[in-house]
């Protein structure tokens, strides 16, 4: 007769059988180390997906929050272990630090447990298209010009998430679906909408300046695929509010995967979906190659 440990092991193995096989995955803004991180939903997604290359596009660990107060439950450790396990089993894992985990920028060009740390990267398509990969904070005027304001905004955002959790606890007792206050403010407050638009335009301009055909970023917690002035703009969203990832299918289609409707919080509304964009993405190259002519990039 199997022991409880055997049964638990069998359940763990079954849970790790992937149901989605893709070529490339981009995720960012996990904010491990904060109460707002939806670690359970993220772990479920990582168990379900199998890919050749996994990009961690910044703000994976929230160093800002951990400096203020330590918060690291087992679920967050499980996510880290799952990422390292994917690297051990053959997935190429590339970590591009963001502003919240900027401490990792001291270790650029290093490899930790199979995870390559890069400042940025260029992903070259089979037909010669080049996608620039960056977290995006370096092109955020607020962070670059007024760091104190960015920290104040982060504290306000953290407070909003706390209010949101309290508010939705009451809604759940009333049988009402999940409602995201922070997402509502982003879409309804004129200044927030203007900030998002300015950020999107800034990274698209930079991608064009670098001679790239497109850009993949995170930072603003707003998943989207669209064209901006002839540049393909892709944002993979986050795992605090929208629970989204950007994936590339084997036929080259880009798609935003929304796991909001399967989140640990009952009734969480899904993020707006974007239409898949045909684009085939092979092995990435270090950002140093971005200044090299396309015919010399491997």
């Amino acid at each position: 007769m199997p022991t409880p440990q055997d049964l638990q092991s069998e359940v763990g193995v079954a849970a790790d059988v992937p149901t989605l096989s893709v070529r490339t995955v981009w995720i960012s803004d996990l904010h491990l180390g904060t109460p707002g991180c939806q670690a359970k939903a993220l772990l479920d997604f990582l168990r379900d997906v199998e890919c050749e290359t996994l990009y961690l596009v910044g703000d994976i660990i929230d160093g800002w929050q951990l400096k203020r107060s330590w918060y690291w439950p087992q679920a967050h450790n499980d996510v880290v272990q799952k990422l390292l396990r994917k690297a051990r089993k053959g997935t190429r894992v590339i970590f591009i630090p963001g502003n919240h985990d900027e401490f990792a920028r001291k270790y650029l060009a290093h490899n930790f447990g199979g995870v390559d740390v890069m400042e940025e990267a260029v992903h070259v398509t089979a037909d010669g298209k080049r996608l620039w990969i960056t977290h995006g904070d370096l092109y955020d005027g607020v962070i670059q010009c007024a760091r104190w304001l960015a920290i104040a905004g982060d504290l306000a955002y953290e407070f909003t998430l706390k209010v949101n959790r309290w508010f939705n606890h009451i809604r759940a007792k009333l049988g009402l679906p999940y409602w995201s206050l922070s997402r509502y403010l982003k879409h309804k407050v004129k200044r927030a909408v203007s900030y998002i638009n300015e950020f999107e335009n800034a990274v698209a301009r930079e991608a064009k300046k670098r001679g790239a055909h497109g850009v993949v970023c995170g930072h603003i917690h707003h998943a989207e695929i669209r064209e901006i002035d002839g540049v393909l703009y892709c944002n993979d969203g986050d795992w605090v509010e929208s629970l989204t990832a950007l994936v590339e299918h084997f036929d080259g289609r880009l798609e935003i995967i929304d796991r909001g409707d399967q989140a640990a919080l009952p009734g969480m509304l899904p993020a707006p979906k974007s239409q898949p964009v045909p684009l085939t993405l092979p092995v990435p190259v270090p950002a140093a190659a971005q200044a090299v002519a396309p015919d010399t990039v491997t």
Side-chain angles (χ1 to χ4, degrees), residues 4 16 20 32 73 80 93 107 144 154 194 199 223 247 257 260 264 272 298:
D16 279 0
L20 174 65
L32 295 167
V80 173
V93 181
Y107 306 104
Q144 295 305 308
D154 183 62
S194 175
F199 171 83
V247 303
I257 300 296
T298 59

Side-chain angles (χ1 to χ4, degrees), residues 58-214:
D59 286 2
I60 305 306
I61 297 175
D62 197 321
W64 291 11
Q65 171 67 28
L66 291 174
K67 282 184 179 179
R68 291 195 292 266
S69 62
W70 186 261
Y71 179 84
W72 195 267
Q74 182 59 42
H76 293 204
N77 194 56
D78 291 342
V79 169
V80 173
Q81 292 300 320
K82 184 59 180 175
L83 292 171
L84 293 174
R85 184 182 179 193
K86 281 187 173 293
R88 289 196 305 269
K89 297 187 83 172
T91 298
R92 187 179 186 196
V93 181
I94 299 171
F95 171 34
I96 297 173
N99 51 303
H100 282 263
D101 46 23
E102 59 191 351
F103 59 86
R105 287 175 174 155
K106 295 186 294 184
Y107 306 104
L108 298 177
H110 286 72
N111 181 288
F112 296 96
V115 178
D116 290 317
V117 184
M118 297 183 179
E119 183 175 10
E120 52 190 19
V122 173
H123 205 68
V124 184
T125 67
D127 59 355
K129 290 186 174 66
R130 301 164 75 243
L131 292 179
W132 172 49
I133 318 297
T134 179
H135 178 65
D137 61 293
L138 299 178
Y139 304 90
D140 181 339
V142 174
I143 290 179
Q144 295 305 308
C145 300
R147 184 179 173 83
W148 68 269
L149 185 58
I151 295 174
D154 183 62
L155 290 170
Y157 179 63
E158 182 184 337
F159 175 75
T160 302
L161 291 178
K162 286 182 179 178
V163 172
N164 199 55
R165 287 195 295 274
W166 173 81
F167 180 68
N168 278 285
H169 179 70
I170 297 176
R171 286 178 64 89
K173 286 189 173 182
L174 297 175
L176 297 174
Y178 181 88
W179 182 75
S180 175
L181 172 62
S182 52
R183 187 187 299 177
Y184 173 82
L185 293 175
K186 282 184 181 180
H187 286 85
K188 296 298 182 181
V189 177
K190 185 176 180 181
R191 183 172 294 179
V193 173
S194 175
Y195 164 76
I196 290 175
N197 288 336
E198 288 176 5
F199 171 83
E200 293 173 339
N201 290 331
V203 292
R205 282 196 304 269
E206 182 64 23
K208 192 171 187 177
K209 185 188 302 181
R210 291 165 176 257
H213 297 88

Side-chain angles (χ1 to χ4, degrees), residues 28 51 136 149 253 259:
S28 75
C51 59
L149 185 58
R253 289 179 300 116
R259 296 298 290 262

